Amino acid sequence: ARSPAGLANRACACGFVSLTRAVRGFADYTGCFAMLIQTFDFKIISDGRGSLIALEGDSVNVPFAIQRMYYVFGVEAGTKRGAHAHKQLRQLAVCVSGACRMTLDNGLGETAEVMLDSPNKGLLIERMMWHEMSDFSPDCVLAVLADDHYNESDYYRNYEDFLRAAQAAG
Ligand code: TYD
């Protein structure tokens, strides 16, 4: 498999060749050629007083300019959230407390699941990626950074509409 310069190949859990690189020393980025799963292992700054993680946009360790942050919490066991895709919006999700499962679907027959279970593990949710969250732990706080303001017209909330658009584009 081809690998862009500066990226090291390694086996990926999803069966594709993955890419790992340090992003300005703040995060290790792991992607795969399917580009469904793109995770970031953020650097933890620890001392005797505890731990700290800094997220910074403009590719310091988050690959876009951050325009918005929101967080989801207090989700009852068994609840599913998400179930939509964005036309343009790019997002990065981190469980800063607890855990939840993220299921991704690119509308072209490829799906993947990732457990977000650590405050230093970020998942990039690209545009045109149907995503659902499930298996929320009671203490889950899911933080999401986004590259634009909230805009309902950027959503595909109907899966058939999303599939048609993804297949027309892909
Ligand atoms: P939604 O994106 O559907 O949440 P989830 O993906 O977690 O299921 O948003 C839920 C509601 O919150 C919906 O009415 C839109 C509103 N909302 C905002 O007003 N601003 C925001 O930034 C977000 C993400 C949602």
Side-chain angles (χ1 to χ4, degrees):
R2 285 187 305 121
S3 168
L7 300 175
N9 284 350
R10 73 177 185 201
C12 180
C14 68
F16 291 86
V17 174
S18 73
L19 307 169
T20 300
R21 67 177 166 181
V23 182
R24 292 204 205 164
F26 280 103
D28 284 331
Y29 164 78
T30 301
C32 70
F33 282 106
M35 295 317 264
L36 277 175
I37 302 171
Q38 299 182 74
T39 56
F40 292 77
D41 295 320
F42 296 116
K43 182 181 166 191
I44 304 173
I45 303 167
S46 294
D47 57 30
R49 302 165 300 161
S51 299
L52 181 153
I53 293 170
L55 303 184
E56 292 191 48
D58 297 322
S59 296
V60 174
N61 60 0
V62 172
F64 49 72
I66 300 162
Q67 293 292 337
R68 175 167 53 113
M69 178 201 180
Y70 61 91
Y71 32 99
V72 174
F73 56 97
V75 180
E76 298 233 341
T79 303
K80 291 183 191 295
R81 297 194 62 125
H84 60 249
H86 289 280
K87 297 171 187 171
Q88 294 298 331
L89 190 73
R90 303 179 75 203
Q91 302 187 96
L92 187 132
V94 184
C95 269
V96 295
S97 168
C100 73
R101 185 184 307 277
M102 185 76 74
T103 304
L104 302 175
D105 174 347
N106 67 3
L108 303 172
E110 294 170 327
T111 62
E113 281 188 1
V114 182
M115 258 337 258
L116 295 178
D117 52 7
S118 167
N120 81 324
K121 183 171 172 182
L123 174 70
L124 186 63
I125 306 170
E126 275 292 2
R127 53 178 70 96
M128 292 303 285
M129 192 67 77
W130 190 265
H131 54 283
E132 296 189 10
M133 293 85 83
S134 58
D135 296 332
F136 286 84
S137 64
D139 59 344
C140 180
V141 180
L142 176 65
V144 183
L145 306 178
D147 76 348
D148 206 351
H149 297 282
Y150 171 72
N151 175 9
E152 185 60 35
S153 68
D154 185 63
Y155 281 71
Y156 283 110
R157 292 196 183 270
N158 178 286
Y159 186 64
E160 302 304 320
D161 291 346
F162 162 69
L163 277 186
R164 262 192 297 277
Q167 287 166 17

